[in-house]
Amino acid sequence: MNWHNVLTVYGKELRDSLRDRRTLISMIVVPTLMIPGIMLVAGVVSYKVVKQAEAETPTVMLLGGENSPAVRTALAANKKIQLVPAAGDWRQRITDKQLRAAVEIPGDFDAVLGRGEAAVVRLYNYESELRSGFAVGELRSFFSDYRDKTVAARLLDHGLPAAFVRPFEIKTENVAPPEKVGGNVVGGIIPYIFILLCFTGAMYPAMDLTAGEKERGTMETILCSPVGRTDLVLGKFLMVLTAALATVVISLLSMGLTFVAGGWLFANRAAAGAAAAAAKGATAHAGMLPTIDPAGTLMVLAMVLPVGILFSAVLMAVSLFAKSVKEAQSYVSPLVIVVIMPAMVGMLPGVELNARLALVPILNLALVSKELVSGVFHWNYLALIFGSTCLYAAMALAACVRMFNREDVLFRS
């Protein structure tokens, strides 16, 4: 192997790729503009949808309670819900999202409470539907307050303090640092994006430098050059790897700028909300954007390197077997599912990194990345994952070089 020849081939392919508009779009334009744009649009749309749902007064149907004017009057006085007349098709209305929720109380609810007996209140909603969830949350809050007032009145009648049935309070306080909390929130998404972009960044150059050369009829010309086939394939491989890693790095920078811009906008909105709440004499509940560990994010980027080698070698080997770019696309497209599935498994709750899963390619990166962005460095697992992925990458690269030396593959008809 002659490294001068390898670098010469690499430089030639790099110049040709930089002149190719499609390569530049997949390597630079997509991660720089589309990914942050999608994230911003999705964030803005989600924010507006949630705010609109919170501002809406949900429609609630009251079922029963004919002989209980006290609770009906209290419920009707709640300005955060809108009561509608009872109807027999209330279940279908909730399913069709024409009605947000329904509450069923016993007909003699007031009398039951007056006798000191227990009553059952049933809430009906559309599970996982946003506006229905807000309606049920408001109903739960209302009846919790109503229950507390009933208990306080009963205690007062017996000359007992309200603290008699609630001798202590339970308060929850987070002790984890912000980067660990943020890592748990977005730790599974970051490697998923990196893995997908690394794969797609290598996809088009790998097909163009192999099947594309065959389709254009330039493969024979390249093979006639005084460069060994191993040097030739390694030079092409370095170009594919460069495209994959450049896509990841550019996406990381663009995502970082997106988070900075989003944090600035969020801080301004939070400050405006706090000022408005202070003017009204209310308390502002300020949230915060997820915080991730910068060193851990850079470590994730380092762990992507052997995965990029693996992707580049596999994509070149598969594309080399095709006779045209269109045929290569039909071979490569199913691999996207093979790549996405382990990354999605790593996002599932309860799937934790161990020595066995550290040997599973792609899945091991997804699992360890959740720890890294939280600032947790398991050096033994990191070494095992890096070493095993490098081994898989070396095997894939060796297979790619071997296929490039087979005449029946290069000139398959």
Side-chain angles (χ1 to χ4, degrees), residues 260-279:
V260 171
W264 180 76
L265 292 174
F266 183 84
N268 288 343
R269 286 183 176 271

Side-chain angles (χ1 to χ4, degrees), residues 228-295:
R229 292 195 180 183
T230 301
D231 300 339
L232 190 61
V233 68
L234 289 179
K236 290 177 174 292
F237 163 78
L238 288 178
M239 174 57 225
V240 177
L241 179 61
T242 299
L245 296 181
T247 303
V248 175
V249 172
I250 292 173
S251 66
L252 176 63
L253 294 176
S254 61
M255 286 173 59
L257 293 176
T258 303
F259 268 95
V260 171
W264 180 76
L265 292 174
F266 183 84
N268 288 343
R269 286 183 176 271
K280 296 179 181 179
T283 302
H285 299 280
M288 61 181 302
L289 289 177
T291 303
I292 57 178
D293 186 80

Side-chain angles (χ1 to χ4, degrees), residues 279-359:
K280 296 179 181 179
T283 302
H285 299 280
M288 61 181 302
L289 289 177
T291 303
I292 57 178
D293 186 80
T297 306
L298 293 178
M299 181 62 74
V300 172
L301 188 62
M303 298 296 291
V304 170
L305 175 61
V307 176
I309 297 174
L310 176 62
F311 287 164
S312 301
V314 170
L315 287 171
M316 281 192 64
V318 173
S319 301
L320 189 63
F321 192 76
K323 294 178 291 185
S324 63
V325 174
K326 186 175 181 179
E327 183 181 352
Q329 289 175 344
S330 65
Y331 294 156
V332 169
S333 298
L335 295 179
V336 177
I337 301 177
V338 178
V339 170
I340 289 178
M341 288 305 296
M344 292 182 63
V345 172
M347 296 173 62
L348 297 177
V351 182
E352 300 293 339
L353 181 64
N354 54 46
R356 228 166 12 101
L357 296 180
L359 298 176

Side-chain angles (χ1 to χ4, degrees), residues 95 103 109 120 148 164 170 180 188 283 320 345 360 377 405-406:
T95 303
V103 53
F109 184 79
V120 177
D148 292 342
F164 182 78
I170 300 176
K180 292 188 181 295
T283 302
L320 189 63
V345 172
V360 180
F377 296 83
N405 284 278
R406 291 176 53 182

Side-chain angles (χ1 to χ4, degrees), residues 14 65-66 70 116 141 150-151 155-156 200 223 255 264 287 319 333 401:
L14 180 61
E66 297 83 0
S141 176
T150 302
V151 171
L155 293 174
L156 184 61
T200 55
L223 294 176
M255 286 173 59
W264 180 76
S319 301
S333 298
V401 173

Side-chain angles (χ1 to χ4, degrees), residues 119-175:
V120 177
V121 176
R122 300 185 184 276
L123 304 179
Y124 302 96
N125 71 315
Y126 189 141
E127 187 69 30
S128 76
E129 204 276 319
L130 183 64
R131 290 172 173 80
S132 183
F134 284 148
V136 169
E138 184 56 40
L139 289 173
R140 287 185 182 277
S141 176
F142 169 81
F143 281 103
S144 295
D145 293 341
Y146 198 84
R147 180 178 53 193
D148 292 342
K149 292 177 181 178
T150 302
V151 171
R154 289 179 181 177
L155 293 174
L156 184 61
D157 292 341
H158 290 80
L160 296 174
F164 182 78
V165 295
R166 186 177 290 181
F168 58 88
E169 296 286 343
I170 300 176
K171 293 185 178 181
T172 304
E173 182 178 352
N174 172 48
V175 297

